């Protein structure tokens, strides 16, 4: 299968004139098509920085980053904007929905920006509404929704343009346990049935147990990784907890 993410010797340094902080150091990472990869680590480990670099929101200090075979470091801001819209879907903890638009209008916004015909937009919304169980709320506004409904709407918006890569930043962080499970079940189904490639930053071992592979960062470096393989989700959950304990704390300490 094709590599969707390839990073080589990626380093990110903040600051100047002798006062610097190294957020990431010599990161080599490959994510193949159809993987569901989690990123975990203590606060300050660099996981959010890494996600921002892959999202093209920030630029690395050195190293190479390729997404879907494209070198993103040499792009202009205009090129990056187009690339994000066409290749990357984002799911944020704070949803980033527009309150003046209905659920349906929020979902099809990426397609509207790319001037997709209305008939195709309607067809794709209908398809996604069934995947995420939101058909009954398409005409509602974000202020009328629960947290779980907002996050499923945000996830639907992230995938409607059929991006090569879905980036999720703590997508369950603001959800109750049932809503979190519903969202994770939907993402897992998307990964298994549609072969979607997903990279998810999370502090939650339960969320990470849905992944096919989990990477652990520590002090800006890749510390270790776990591969789920044939393990059950419950067994994989225990393995994730075991690694988190190596960091010196339980699941609630590793944020």
């Amino acid at each position: 299968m094709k590599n969707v993410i390839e990073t080589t010797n990626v380093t990110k340094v903040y600051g100047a004139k002798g006062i610097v902080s190294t957020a990431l150091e010599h990161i080599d990472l490959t994510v193949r098509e159809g993987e569901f990869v989690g990123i975990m680590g203590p606060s300050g480990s660099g996981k959010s920085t890494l996600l921002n670099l892959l999202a093209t929101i920030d630029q690395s200090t050195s190293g190479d980053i390729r997404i879907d075979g494209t070198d993103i470091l040499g792009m202009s801001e205009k090129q990056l904007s187009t690339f994000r819209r066409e290749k990357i879907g984002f799911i944020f903890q704070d949803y980033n929905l527009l309150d003046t638009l209905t659920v349906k209008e929020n979902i099809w916004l990426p397609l509207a920006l790319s001037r997709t015909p209305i008939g195709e937009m309607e067809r794709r919304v209908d398809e996604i509404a069934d995947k995420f169980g939101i058909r009954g709320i398409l005409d509602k506004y974000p202020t009328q929704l629960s947290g779980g409904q907002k996050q499923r709407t945000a996830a639907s918006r992230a995938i409607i343009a059929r991006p090569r890569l879905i980036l999720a930043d703590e997508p369950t962080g603001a959800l109750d346990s049932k809503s979190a499970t519903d969202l994770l079940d939907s993402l897992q189904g998307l990964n298994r049935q549609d072969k979607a490639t997903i990279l998810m930053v999370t502090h939650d071992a339960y969320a990470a147990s849905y992944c096919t592979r989990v990477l652990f960062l520590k002090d800006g470096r890749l510390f270790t990784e776990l591969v789920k393989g044939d393990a059950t989700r419950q067994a994989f959950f225990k393995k994730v907890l075991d690694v988190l304990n190596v960091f010196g704390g339980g699941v609630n300490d590793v944020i």
Side-chain angles (χ1 to χ4, degrees):
M1 288 186 290
K2 185 177 179 179
N3 292 337
V4 177
I5 297 175
E6 298 172 274
T7 76
T8 305
N9 203 30
V10 167
T11 295
K12 179 63 180 180
V13 177
Y14 293 100
K17 296 183 179 180
I19 305 175
V20 299
S21 173
T22 301
L24 290 173
E25 193 170 3
H26 308 305
I27 299 294
D28 294 328
L29 169 65
T30 299
V31 176
R32 297 182 68 78
E33 187 176 38
E35 282 197 284
F36 188 172
V37 178
I39 300 179
M40 304 191 78
S43 179
S45 62
K47 57 188 184 295
S48 293
T49 299
L50 178 58
L51 194 73
N52 287 340
L53 296 183
L54 298 175
T56 74
I57 295 171
D58 198 358
Q59 288 194 338
S60 64
T61 304
S62 61
D64 297 309
I65 300 176
R66 302 182 72 86
I67 296 178
D68 197 27
T70 300
D71 180 0
I72 66 173
L73 299 182
M75 289 184 172
S76 67
E77 186 53 47
K78 183 177 181 181
Q79 289 172 323
L80 284 173
S81 179
T82 300
F83 186 83
R84 288 185 206 108
R85 187 171 66 246
E86 295 179 350
K87 297 287 187 177
I88 304 175
F90 301 93
I91 306 174
F92 301 101
Q93 181 177 337
D94 59 0
Y95 319 127
N96 283 0
L97 301 176
L98 297 177
D99 288 340
T100 56
L101 300 181
T102 65
V103 166
K104 177 187 286 189
E105 291 165 342
N106 267 284
I107 292 172
W108 73 22
L109 185 58
L111 297 183
L113 292 173
S114 61
R115 299 181 181 180
T116 302
I118 187 68
E120 176 66 9
M121 290 165 61
E122 291 278 8
R123 189 185 68 77
R124 291 201 198 180
V125 167
D126 284 344
E127 178 183 300
I128 288 172
D130 289 333
K131 288 182 184 293
F132 284 91
I134 57 172
R135 181 172 293 281
I137 64 169
L138 289 177
D139 294 325
K140 292 187 177 182
Y141 289 87
T143 54
Q144 300 172 297
L145 306 181
S146 68
Q149 290 171 329
K150 289 179 181 178
Q151 194 57 291
R152 291 201 299 276
T153 298
S156 299
R157 181 186 57 193
I159 71 169
I160 194 164
R162 297 172 179 164
R164 290 289 292 157
L165 173 65
I166 298 169
L167 299 177
D169 186 11
E170 302 281 7
T172 63
L175 302 181
D176 60 61
S177 59
K178 183 183 184 306
S179 296
T181 297
D182 288 344
L183 176 67
L184 291 166
D185 284 341
S186 296
L187 291 177
Q188 187 177 68
L190 194 67
N191 170 251
R192 289 178 174 177
Q193 297 161 20
D194 297 348
K195 308 304 180 186
T197 305
I198 305 171
L199 187 73
M200 177 176 68
V201 167
T202 183
H203 71 277
D204 184 1
Y206 177 74
S209 71
Y210 279 78
C211 299
T212 56
R213 181 162 59 111
V214 180
L215 308 175
F216 297 85
L217 292 178
K218 184 178 181 181
D219 299 327
R221 290 176 173 267
L222 286 174
F223 176 70
T224 190
E225 76 170 7
L226 290 177
V227 178
K228 185 176 184 179
D230 295 328
T232 64
R233 189 171 59 75
Q234 290 77 12
F236 195 49
F237 172 69
K238 185 179 183 304
K239 288 183 179 181
V240 172
L241 285 178
D242 288 342
V243 174
L244 294 183
N245 286 330
V246 174
F247 287 108
V251 63
N252 292 324
D253 299 315
V254 181
I255 58 175

